[in-house]
């Protein structure tokens, strides 16, 4: 029983070929394609309005130098948002429940923000490792602590996204299993658990959207520290 609960997080394969790449590229089919027409349909207009809203929200904490990252951050936000939401559909696979994938997204982008700061303002970037006014005996310990907190940032990004989505999927499967098992013996309790399942699904939709936003927002804050 315990193994079957975690089988949903294993990467699906067909004839020995992992299908995770298809799961990652499928959200691109939902994005609007380029069109030469002046007048578009309502769906394209809504999508473009939503993309514009996301871009404005992500650019708020950044100055003009950070606006060069608008395309990368907005694309990452839409990518994570679509994958998280599509993973809530029945008989689907959520790639963002894999820690390896989340770390593969977090580490290069975090490293890019760090290298940007070291290239543009090395003194300021290194100055973050030692707060001003630190007593001399505490300097080695604080440098070690600040360095550790700096290096752990990409791990925290990946683990946060993985843990929240994994916990939500497990709760949904546990409650849905209980609802099915209790339907024949205790219908009233089964209906109650069905209501809980419905409310939990709404909560997981919100969590999927919030976690995608938090992931990209933290990256933008790390970028702001280095530009």
């Amino acid at each position: 029983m315990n193994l079957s609960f975690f089988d949903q997080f294993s990467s699906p394969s067909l004839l020995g070929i992992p299908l995770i790449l298809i799961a990652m590229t499928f959200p691109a089919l939902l994005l609007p394609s380029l069109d030469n027409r002046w007048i578009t349909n309502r769906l394209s207009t809504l999508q473009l309005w939503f993309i514009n809203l996301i871009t404005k929200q992500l650019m708020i904490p950044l100055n003009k130098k950070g606006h060069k990252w608008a395309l990368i951050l907005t694309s990452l936000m839409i990518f994570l948002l679509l994958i998280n939401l599509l993973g809530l559909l029945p008989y689907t696979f959520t790639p963002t429940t894999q820690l390896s994938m989340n770390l593969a997204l977090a580490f290069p982008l975090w490293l890019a923000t760090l290298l940007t700061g070291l290239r543009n303002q090395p003194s300021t970037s290194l100055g973050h490792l030692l707060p001003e006014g630190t007593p001399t005996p505490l300097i080695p310990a604080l440098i070690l602590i600040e360095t550790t907190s700096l290096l752990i940032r990409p791990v925290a990004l990946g683990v946060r996204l993985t843990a929240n989505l994994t916990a939500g999927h497990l709760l949904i499967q546990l409650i849905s299993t209980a609802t099915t098992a209790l339907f024949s013996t205790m219908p009233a309790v089964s209906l109650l658990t069905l209501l809980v399942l419905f409310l939990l699904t709404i909560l997981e939709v919100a969590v999927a959207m919030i976690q995608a936003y938090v992931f990209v927002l933290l990256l933008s804050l790390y970028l702001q520290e280095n530009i």
Side-chain angles (χ1 to χ4, degrees):
M1 180 67 71
N2 292 333
L3 291 177
S4 64
F5 286 154
F6 289 93
D7 283 346
Q8 61 177 318
F9 303 118
S10 60
S11 177
S13 59
L14 179 63
L15 301 177
I17 302 175
L19 301 180
I20 187 172
L21 293 179
I22 298 179
M24 292 173 59
T25 54
F26 181 76
L29 300 176
L30 303 177
L31 298 178
S33 57
L34 296 177
D35 199 342
N36 293 327
R37 295 180 301 174
W38 283 97
I39 302 177
T40 57
N41 55 28
R42 292 185 178 91
L43 180 60
S44 298
T45 303
L46 181 62
Q47 289 175 332
L48 292 175
W49 172 82
F50 185 66
I51 292 173
N52 187 31
L53 178 64
I54 291 176
T55 305
K56 287 182 179 180
Q57 290 295 323
L58 294 177
M59 293 300 105
I60 287 177
L62 298 177
N63 54 25
K64 290 185 178 180
K65 293 182 180 179
H67 290 179
K68 299 176 182 178
W69 291 64
L71 180 60
I72 297 177
L73 296 178
T74 304
S75 301
L76 179 62
M77 171 71 184
I78 297 173
F79 174 71
L80 291 176
L81 183 62
L82 291 177
I83 282 185
N84 293 348
L85 293 177
L86 289 175
L88 293 174
L89 297 176
Y91 302 104
T92 56
F93 172 70
T94 312
T96 44
T97 56
Q98 306 294 314
L99 181 60
S100 57
M101 175 187 165
N102 295 334
L103 290 179
L105 290 174
F107 184 78
L109 293 172
W110 165 82
L111 185 61
T113 61
L114 182 63
L115 294 179
T116 300
L118 292 176
R119 184 189 65 178
N120 295 335
Q121 45 182 15
S123 300
T124 305
S125 298
L126 294 177
H128 291 308
L129 301 179
L130 184 62
E132 187 177 356
T134 304
T136 304
L138 298 179
I139 288 179
L142 280 180
I143 292 178
L144 182 61
I145 293 173
E146 291 296 329
T147 304
T148 304
S149 65
L150 178 65
L151 296 178
I152 208 173
R153 283 180 174 180
V155 180
L157 282 176
V159 170
R160 181 187 296 107
L161 182 59
T162 303
N164 282 281
L165 295 180
T166 302
H169 283 65
L170 282 176
L171 281 174
I172 288 177
Q173 185 167 1
L174 285 170
I175 296 179
S176 61
T177 303
T179 303
T180 306
L182 295 173
F183 184 75
S184 58
T185 57
M186 291 181 287
V189 179
S190 178
L191 291 176
L192 181 60
T193 55
L194 182 61
L195 177 61
V196 174
L197 179 62
F198 176 73
L199 297 177
L200 181 62
T201 303
I202 296 177
L203 176 63
E204 283 306 310
V205 171
V207 168
M209 299 173 66
I210 291 172
Q211 288 303 316
Y213 177 70
V214 168
F215 188 93
V216 183
L217 179 63
L218 289 176
L219 280 175
S220 65
L221 293 177
Y222 297 158
L223 177 63
Q224 178 59 29
E225 291 181 358
N226 294 281
I227 56 176

